[in-house]
Amino acid sequence: MATLSNPSFLLHLSLIITAMCFAVSQPFIGVNYGQVADNLPAPEASAELLKSTTVGKVRLYGADPAIIKSLANSGIGIVIGAANGDIPSLASDPDSATQWVNANVLPYYPESNITMIAVGNEVMSSGDESLVSQLLPAMQNVQNALNSAPKIKVSTVHSMAVLTHSDPPSSGSFDPALVNTLQQLLAFQKDNESPFAFNPYPFFSYQSDPRPETLAFCLFQPNSGRVDTGSGKVYSNMFDAQVDAVHAALSSMGFKDMEIVIAETGWPSRGDSNEVGASVENAKAYNGNLIEHLRSLVGTPLMPGKSVDTFIFALYDEDLKRGPASERAFGLFKTDLTMAYDVGLDKSGSTHKNPPTSPVTPAPKTGTQWCIPKVEVTEAQLQANIDYICGSQVVDCGPIQPEGACYEPNTISSHAAFAMNLYYQKFGRNPWNCDFSQTAMLTSQNPSYNACVYPGGST
């Protein structure tokens, strides 16, 4: 476009668009909506709360019709669950699966955007061999019952306990006792293009190794990093390490390209006296920095340049849950619909409207910032940015050319991120240098990966 070659026009246009800019839901950020409580708001009130945030997906542990209906026409994706107790009947009788789908899916679909059915929760690590053996038949019967709603995926959710090795991440491997069953399960999921869903909790990793450097690693805070001796990759946080361990385990079984979904992750705001690390400060840091990490689209060392769909646990505290105090303290919001602590999910204060340097604690003006694309921007817009920046020949776009350190992943979004940041760093690091007609935002999360180093500087 001719206007892209005129920086003054870009600046003028961006000032106009800034006044019109509004936040959008982000499809890779989800939240778990648990109901083990006696003080929860009405579903309609919760739906309005969710619509006021940038949450793009909600995971239910059942199929509460009131909640599903309250989210109709909201655009929010919904994952519903078939309980572990439902698995025997779903596995033994296809008619039971058809009845379950007819009762819990078809009355609300597609007005309510049901995207996936999670059959069972952490079944493979339950120790119940009978239930484990019935999981795949149950999933197959539910899949077959979805003929009238073929876009809905069928999966199941795993705990990290299905792995016997996860450190270093490249050594990730599944429990040999589960491999035969998993092989069949994963083959079914590959055929139906459904994701591998699991529950990583860096909180529990910290509890088993409560050193200050481990806490920083778990909370996405500055740390010395950990080198994977197998791959040579450097990890700056536990979340990426756990995701890549699962990716490595899937790859070792021939499912390298299977999509991964984080079905649960979170950090409690309080706990019993022996639950080290459970605090509001740490919960705010983990969840806030996780959200910023996802928004950066940096990805993981083994899967760079994209964000894994992630469901944060949980929408509310659940006061009737059993176990240690932390089990009742994962809520992002209070049941009076106010924030338990601010992690940057509110649309009115989202990084898409007036980007803060951090969703947790805004960095001082002297902090290092990088310029990256906004998540809702189209590839056409990003390509136009690349053409403008690299075509001007005032910055060196060599690193995103073939053989360059930042060429892989060879995607428009990844190349645009590098080029836009390069322009921002070269031309003054002013807010208007990271605008590009409202397609860019600032982040304090370093997007560098492997040998691809994004220049950074203080504002």
Side-chain angles (χ1 to χ4, degrees), residues 229-245:
T229 54
S231 67
K233 307 290 187 185
V234 178
Y235 287 82
S236 62
N237 65 81
M238 182 67 76
F239 177 84
D240 284 354
Q242 292 182 329
V243 171
D244 275 358

Side-chain angles (χ1 to χ4, degrees), residues 84-129:
N84 290 3
D86 294 330
I87 290 175
S89 63
L90 294 174
S92 63
D93 186 1
D95 288 340
S96 292
T98 299
Q99 291 171 11
W100 193 95
V101 168
N102 288 344
N104 297 297
V105 177
L106 299 186
Y108 318 110
Y109 181 85
E111 289 77 16
S112 293
N113 185 24
I114 299 171
T115 60
M116 190 172 85
I117 299 171
V119 179
N121 188 50
E122 301 187 349
V123 172
M124 294 296 292
S125 53
S126 67
D128 186 333
E129 293 184 8

Side-chain angles (χ1 to χ4, degrees), residues 27 57 59 78-80 114-120 124 135-136 139 143 146 150-158 174 182 184-199 243 246-247 250 255-264 303 306-311:
K57 291 184 173 74
R59 178 189 170 206
I78 308 169
V79 175
I80 62 174
I114 299 171
T115 60
M116 190 172 85
I117 299 171
V119 179
M124 294 296 292
L135 178 58
L136 177 57
M139 293 171 65
Q143 184 69 65
L146 285 170
K151 293 183 179 180
I152 299 176
K153 306 299 183 183
V154 177
S155 186
T156 188
V157 176
H158 304 281
F174 291 113
L182 277 172
Q184 300 174 59
L185 190 71
L186 295 172
F188 162 78
Q189 291 189 244
K190 180 181 179 180
D191 289 344
N192 291 281
E193 300 181 342
S194 68
F196 184 91
F198 78 108
N199 301 334
V243 171
V246 169
H247 175 70
L250 289 169
F255 299 96
K256 179 181 179 181
D257 296 327
M258 180 166 286
E259 180 187 356
I260 290 174
V261 165
I262 308 305
E264 282 183 27
M303 296 184 292
K306 64 178 181 179
S307 287
V308 176
D309 283 5
T310 300
F311 292 82

Side-chain angles (χ1 to χ4, degrees), residues 125-335:
S125 53
S126 67
D128 186 333
E129 293 184 8
S130 175
L131 198 63
V132 169
S133 68
Q134 295 175 91
L135 178 58
L136 177 57
M139 293 171 65
Q140 291 170 326
N141 284 340
V142 170
Q143 184 69 65
N144 292 335
L146 285 170
N147 289 332
S148 56
K151 293 183 179 180
I152 299 176
K153 306 299 183 183
V154 177
S155 186
T156 188
V157 176
H158 304 281
S159 76
M160 285 292 291
V162 296
L163 299 183
T164 50
H165 292 95
S166 60
D167 187 24
S170 62
S171 72
S173 59
F174 291 113
D175 184 342
L178 302 175
V179 165
N180 288 339
T181 302
L182 277 172
Q183 186 71 43
Q184 300 174 59
L185 190 71
L186 295 172
F188 162 78
Q189 291 189 244
K190 180 181 179 180
D191 289 344
N192 291 281
E193 300 181 342
S194 68
F196 184 91
F198 78 108
N199 301 334
Y201 276 94
F203 170 67
F204 296 124
S205 299
Y206 172 61
Q207 288 207 308
S208 65
D209 179 20
R211 295 175 296 157
E213 55 266 38
T214 304
L215 182 61
F217 189 67
C218 289
L219 296 181
F220 300 86
Q221 293 174 337
N223 63 87
S224 58
R226 299 184 182 183
V227 178
D228 184 321
T229 54
S231 67
K233 307 290 187 185
V234 178
Y235 287 82
S236 62
N237 65 81
M238 182 67 76
F239 177 84
D240 284 354
Q242 292 182 329
V243 171
D244 275 358
V246 169
H247 175 70
L250 289 169
S251 298
S252 70
M253 292 184 63
F255 299 96
K256 179 181 179 181
D257 296 327
M258 180 166 286
E259 180 187 356
I260 290 174
V261 165
I262 308 305
E264 282 183 27
T265 189
W267 199 285
S269 59
R270 64 183 183 279
D272 291 324
S273 58
N274 64 339
E275 292 189 281
V276 61
S279 70
V280 171
E281 180 183 11
N282 289 343
K284 181 177 180 180
Y286 177 75
N287 289 317
N289 288 333
L290 168 63
I291 290 167
E292 183 174 2
H293 182 57
L294 295 171
R295 284 174 174 162
S296 76
L297 302 181
V298 172
T300 71
L302 291 182
M303 296 184 292
K306 64 178 181 179
S307 287
V308 176
D309 283 5
T310 300
F311 292 82
I312 299 174
F313 188 85
L315 184 58
Y316 303 115
D317 286 349
E318 295 175 80
D319 65 337
L320 299 183
K321 291 196 92 173
R322 298 179 179 179
S326 62
E327 287 291 318
R328 297 175 289 282
F330 278 86
L332 296 172
F333 292 88
K334 300 176 182 178
T335 53

Side-chain angles (χ1 to χ4, degrees), residues 301-377:
L302 291 182
M303 296 184 292
K306 64 178 181 179
S307 287
V308 176
D309 283 5
T310 300
F311 292 82
I312 299 174
F313 188 85
L315 184 58
Y316 303 115
D317 286 349
E318 295 175 80
D319 65 337
L320 299 183
K321 291 196 92 173
R322 298 179 179 179
S326 62
E327 287 291 318
R328 297 175 289 282
F330 278 86
L332 296 172
F333 292 88
K334 300 176 182 178
T335 53
D336 64 1
L337 304 176
T338 61
M339 288 184 288
Y341 46 85
D342 188 3
V343 294
L345 285 176
D346 185 73
K347 280 183 178 177
S348 63
S350 163
T351 55
H352 284 270
K353 186 170 184 179
N354 187 18
T357 55
S358 166
V360 181
T361 302
K365 290 185 178 180
T366 56
T368 300
Q369 293 183 308
W370 292 266
C371 182
I372 60 173
K374 292 181 179 179
V375 294
E376 75 272 21
V377 177

Side-chain angles (χ1 to χ4, degrees), residues 63-86:
D64 188 311
I67 297 175
I68 296 172
K69 286 190 287 187
S70 73
L71 293 169
N73 302 310
S74 67
I76 296 174
I78 308 169
V79 175
I80 62 174
N84 290 3
D86 294 330

